[in-house]
Amino acid sequence: MSTEIKQLQRTLTEFAQERDWEQFHTPKNLVMALNGEIGELTEIFQWLTPEQSLSLPENKQEHLEEELADVMMYLLRLADKCEVDIIEACHKKLIKNKAKYPADKCFGSAKKYNEL
């Protein structure tokens, strides 16, 4: 796993321990918190046109950065609690996705793998 990711996970663990929040950071609770943060991330783009979503004003860009950070931190906490090497899991999943979505069959298409 990336040293930077592992260090961030350690920092997040220390942050939780300093506040006695470890008791709340069960996989179930972390997934629920992650879902809430995804909702907050979604709100940033809600009702925007595709073009507007590509060029957010500065105040919304800052809000986007904060919500992305919240999502990432909960995801890293969840991976750590479940003893998942998130970088390795991403690499494995990318290999599976390449097999499910061969470029020559899905290029420029939004179809799901079972519709190709």
Side-chain angles (χ1 to χ4, degrees), residues 23-115:
Q23 62 183 316
F24 308 119
H25 286 190
T26 64
K28 178 196 81 70
N29 287 351
L30 290 168
V31 167
M32 292 174 71
L34 178 58
N35 189 53
E37 294 302 334
I38 292 290
E40 291 180 24
L41 182 60
T42 302
E43 287 178 348
I44 294 169
F45 295 100
Q46 188 175 17
W47 313 122
L48 297 181
T49 65
E51 295 77 24
Q52 289 170 325
S53 73
L54 290 169
S55 57
L56 296 174
E58 189 176 328
N59 65 325
K60 281 199 174 194
Q61 182 68 28
E62 184 177 337
H63 188 195
L64 172 63
E65 291 173 12
E66 291 173 356
E67 295 308 330
L68 284 171
D70 286 341
V71 167
M72 181 71 163
M73 289 188 290
Y74 275 120
L75 184 62
L76 290 176
R77 283 292 285 153
L78 178 61
D80 193 27
K81 284 290 185 176
C82 294
E83 298 180 2
V84 171
D85 180 330
I86 193 68
I87 299 300
E88 181 63 27
C90 287
H91 287 297
K92 286 179 182 178
K93 182 62 176 170
L94 186 54
I95 290 167
K96 285 185 177 184
N97 286 349
K98 283 181 180 183
K100 285 167 63 172
Y101 295 98
D104 62 324
K105 289 186 179 178
C106 70
F107 187 82
S109 172
K111 291 181 181 178
K112 195 168 177 176
Y113 66 92
N114 61 351
E115 297 174 341

